[in-house]
Amino acid sequence: MKGVFSAPGDYVHFKSQVPLHKIPIGTKQWRYYDFGPKAVPPLICLPGTAGTADVYYKQIMSLSMKGYRVISVDIPRVWNNTEWIQAFEKFLDAIDVHHIHLYGTSLGGFLAQLFAQHRPRRVRSLVLSNTFLETRSFSAAMPWAPIVSWTPSFLLKRYVLTGIRDGPHEPFIADSVDFVVSQVETLSREDLASRLSLTTDAASVGPLLLSVSFITIMDTNDYCAIPQQLKDQLGERYPEARRAYLKTGGDFPFLSRPDEVNLHLQLHLRRVGVEPRPDLVHNIPIGDIGGSPSKENNEDDSDESHKDNGGGSENPPAEYEINPTSPESSGSGNLDKQPLDSSECCHLFPGGFPREKHIVPPGTPLHFVWEYIVFFHLLHIRSLCIIWNYSLEFRQFV
């Protein structure tokens, strides 16, 4: 972990070229990027627990320049999987997209499968990376899930960050981890709590009407926050799916190995019948966007560009507020983020599975003591409530 994070040069360029959209739908606020020819069926990227729409910036720039349309979204504040399916369908209606191809990593891959199961007519294909079929393991590893909505922000962020393996890493993997951690720190307490609720909400993926030949499984072979047993279950469910193995890449290959990931995504899209339209691509100079990060890019980083991660942008032309005219679009969600100091992730899953070393934000000993006093106080209150309810039931019985 670097002491001070500065945004990569290609990310700074991405933010200057691709507009960030915000759209309120009911009580949900959606934050997303949409880039590429609108005539092409979109590839929609769904991040993991610690991810934001920004984590797929290398895929957006690379694939859009080749004639594909890429949409990367933040997971909104939904608290169960049924609410996710309904909210995502309303989002697609609001942006006038009907048939989609989904690329999901970790939690995003699980949500993509759920949507394909319950809305089969809309999903044309799936690319699943370091993901799983059911949430039982994560629920068992997180016994305090019932009070996750009460948990302070600093504890939620600390819990999420413990799922990221800390060095030693190859330089590209270390850079991807830094970017992911910087994104985590832009997420608010409500954002983190809702995503952890999705990971512990009792749910499993049922049979899909989608042909297995339209599914690609893309996993890394070095290490991942998702236990190997859960990844094996996914492979057993889709035995005829195409396999794309990455020798290295860690939890975030879309950042650490973007060239390989982008190639596999192109092969998948062509195989399922998506034809790119390079003739419709605007002539935007992008240099080496989409490739592996370079030393020169890192040296050109600026702290101001990193402050754009949380959804607010200091460059007005690069961000748009969209108010759909749909009758279901009322109100506006609050997208305020609590800046911490690092973020990203797609595959990150804080399932409580121990690692040898973890990334934990710096803090004084007194600060640690205060955090755990607050947390265990909440647990104590919940225990007293449970005991009180049982005592009332016992009195009624007597």
Side-chain angles (χ1 to χ4, degrees):
M1 280 294 295
K2 301 174 182 177
V4 177
F5 174 81
S6 57
D10 55 353
Y11 177 66
V12 175
H13 182 79
F14 163 79
K15 295 290 286 185
S16 70
Q17 297 292 336
V18 182
L20 171 67
H21 301 278
K22 295 180 182 179
I23 177 172
I25 304 177
T27 59
K28 305 293 183 296
Q29 179 88 359
W30 288 84
R31 177 179 175 275
Y32 69 101
Y33 296 98
D34 183 354
F35 208 55
K38 298 297 185 288
V40 179
L43 173 69
I44 299 185
C45 304
L46 301 177
T49 305
T52 65
D54 298 68
V55 302
Y56 294 110
Y57 76 92
K58 293 178 182 288
Q59 285 66 53
I60 295 173
M61 293 303 288
S62 177
L63 295 179
S64 64
M65 290 300 102
K66 291 179 172 63
Y68 294 99
R69 180 183 181 186
V70 183
I71 300 175
S72 179
V73 304
D74 272 1
I75 298 176
R77 295 173 189 171
V78 292
W79 299 89
N80 58 66
N81 296 295
T82 300
E83 188 179 2
W84 151 255
I85 295 168
Q86 296 172 350
F88 190 52
E89 184 170 37
K90 291 179 181 179
F91 168 72
L92 296 179
D93 292 338
I95 63 175
D96 195 26
V97 170
H98 302 286
H99 300 137
I100 60 175
H101 302 265
L102 291 174
Y103 168 40
T105 58
S106 189
L107 174 62
F110 175 69
L111 297 178
Q113 293 175 84
L114 285 179
F115 191 77
Q117 175 187 347
H118 294 278
R119 299 294 186 270
R121 295 184 178 181
R122 306 196 77 152
V123 180
R124 290 292 187 254
S125 72
L126 293 172
V127 181
L128 307 174
S129 181
N130 293 341
T131 189
F132 50 92
L133 290 171
E134 49 86 21
T135 60
R136 182 171 48 190
S137 299
F138 302 107
S139 179
M142 189 175 165
W144 50 278
I147 63 168
V148 67
S149 60
W150 301 349
T151 307
S153 176
F154 56 81
L155 285 179
L156 293 176
K157 290 177 180 178
R158 184 180 301 279
Y159 181 74
V160 170
L161 291 175
T162 58
I164 306 179
R165 177 174 174 175
D166 187 15
H169 295 304
E170 299 177 40
F172 292 159
I173 296 178
D175 289 342
S176 72
V177 170
D178 286 341
F179 190 86
V180 170
V181 175
S182 71
Q183 293 295 314
V184 173
E185 294 177 350
T186 68
L187 297 173
S188 70
R189 184 184 69 83
E190 291 78 11
D191 292 327
L192 290 169
S194 66
R195 296 178 187 196
L196 291 174
S197 294
L198 289 175
T199 69
T200 56
D201 181 41
S204 60
V205 178
L208 303 184
L209 295 181
L210 181 69
S211 172
V212 179
S213 62
F214 286 81
I215 298 175
T216 295
I217 299 176
M218 179 165 44
D219 288 339
T220 54
N221 286 338
D222 47 358
Y223 54 83
C224 173
I226 301 300
Q228 187 61 42
Q229 178 183 358
L230 299 185
K231 294 166 66 175
D232 292 341
Q233 290 177 0
L234 185 78
E236 294 172 0
R237 173 67 66 87
Y238 311 119
E240 302 301 322
R242 291 295 180 97
R243 295 300 187 100
Y245 292 112
L246 305 177
K247 185 176 180 180
T248 61
D251 286 307
F252 319 113
F254 44 90
L255 287 167
S256 60
R257 294 288 182 266
D259 293 330
E260 296 179 52
V261 171
N262 294 341
L263 177 60
H264 288 306
L265 290 175
Q266 290 181 67
L267 292 175
H268 170 85
L269 291 173
R270 291 186 178 182
R271 183 168 59 83
V272 299
V274 179
E275 294 295 331
R277 294 293 303 275
D279 55 304
L280 299 179
V281 176
H282 298 294
N283 186 21
I284 301 177
I286 60 171
D288 295 328
I289 294 301
S292 299
S294 65
K295 182 177 180 181
E296 293 180 359
N297 286 340
N298 292 333
E299 292 175 350
D300 292 336
D301 297 341
S302 66
D303 292 337
E304 291 183 3
S305 65
H306 169 57
K307 294 179 182 178
D308 293 343
N309 292 1
S313 175
E314 298 178 2
N315 186 6
E319 183 171 322
Y320 298 96
E321 293 280 353
I322 302 176
N323 294 310
T325 57
S326 168
E328 296 179 1
S329 304
S330 61
S332 174
N334 183 6
L335 258 202
D336 293 340
K337 308 290 184 181
Q338 297 181 1
L340 220 159
D341 253 27
S342 315
S343 87
E344 209 287 310
C345 148
C346 215
H347 313 288
L348 167 61
F349 229 103
F353 298 93
R355 300 283 182 181
E356 292 182 0
K357 298 179 68 178
H358 303 290
I359 296 175
V360 179
T364 64
L366 181 61
H367 184 60
F368 283 116
V369 173
W370 174 243
E371 290 180 3
Y372 289 108
I373 288 176
V374 173
F375 181 63
F376 286 110
H377 183 65
L378 290 174
L379 290 177
H380 180 64
I381 292 176
R382 180 171 178 269
S383 300
L384 290 178
C385 292
I386 294 175
I387 295 173
W388 176 254
N389 290 334
Y390 277 119
S391 64
L392 290 179
E393 295 179 1
F394 181 74
R395 288 183 180 180
Q396 294 175 358
F397 177 76
V398 173

